[in-house]
């Protein structure tokens, strides 16, 4: 499992100091980007290197407790690798280990040439599967 630390800044919150939910989704997505970059398969390199894109086709988020300015969250990321898809499961916990939110991004692997689904390249699949070992 991969972990990413994120701190809720003043600019991430509404006037009452509660995190604005799109900024939490952005933090989650940043955690996924960091996982991919850490594995050597950064999202921004995949189209040129492997001829595919990994667009998000669905997203689901459950908010369990408010996130406030100054809160530091650990966002864990666990991949779920399919033949032509990549799911990323996120859990954001606070310093006390309480879950603040959980989420899932579902990506599909499509050809850069024609946007048709195709299998994940082994060069992308193998590093992701190594996270699960």
């Amino acid at each position: 499992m991969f972990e990413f630390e994120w701190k809720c800044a003043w600019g991430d919150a509404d006037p009452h100091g509660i995190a604005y939910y799109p900024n939490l989704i952005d933090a989650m997505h940043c955690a996924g980007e960091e996982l991919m970059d850490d594995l050597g398969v950064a999202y921004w390199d995949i189209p040129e290197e492997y001829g595919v894109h990994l667009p998000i086709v669905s997203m689901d988020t459950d908010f369990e407790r408010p996130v406030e300015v100054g809160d530091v969250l650990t966002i864990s990321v666990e991949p779920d690798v399919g033949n032509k898809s990549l799911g990323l499961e996120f859990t954001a916990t606070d310093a006390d280990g309480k879950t603040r939110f959980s989420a899932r991004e579902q990506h599909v692997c499509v050809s850069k040439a024609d946007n048709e689904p195709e299998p994940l390249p082994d060069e992308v699949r193998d590093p992701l599967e190594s996270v699960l070992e």
Side-chain angles (χ1 to χ4, degrees):
M1 185 180 327
F2 180 82
E3 293 185 339
F4 174 77
E5 189 172 279
W6 180 81
K7 183 175 183 178
C8 183
W10 179 250
D12 296 315
D14 64 18
H16 302 285
I18 304 295
Y20 184 51
Y21 75 90
N23 293 336
L24 297 177
I25 292 170
D26 185 54
M28 169 198 74
H29 189 72
C30 286
E33 284 186 10
E34 288 295 318
L35 164 69
M36 298 297 284
D37 191 29
D38 190 64
L39 293 173
V41 287
Y43 284 129
W44 48 88
D45 291 334
I46 291 173
E48 291 305 313
E49 290 189 27
Y50 307 111
V52 297
H53 293 284
L54 294 173
I56 296 171
V57 294
S58 68
M59 181 181 286
D60 185 38
T61 308
D62 291 313
F63 300 101
E64 297 184 29
R65 291 178 177 79
V67 176
E68 299 178 33
V69 171
D71 286 344
V72 177
L73 303 179
T74 299
I75 304 174
S76 63
V77 187
E78 188 169 341
D80 176 19
V81 184
N83 182 41
K84 297 179 182 180
S85 65
L86 166 63
L88 296 177
E89 299 279 345
F90 303 92
T91 304
T93 55
D94 59 25
D96 295 328
K98 293 181 181 170
T99 299
R100 298 295 185 94
F101 67 89
S102 57
R104 178 176 176 82
E105 279 182 351
Q106 186 65 42
H107 300 256
V108 65
C109 182
V110 297
S111 167
K112 184 178 164 188
D114 61 11
N115 276 337
E116 290 297 317
E118 68 175 61
L120 280 169
D122 290 339
E123 297 86 353
V124 175
R125 172 187 308 285
D126 293 345
L128 286 161
E129 288 180 341
S130 74
V131 174
L132 302 172
E133 297 172 351

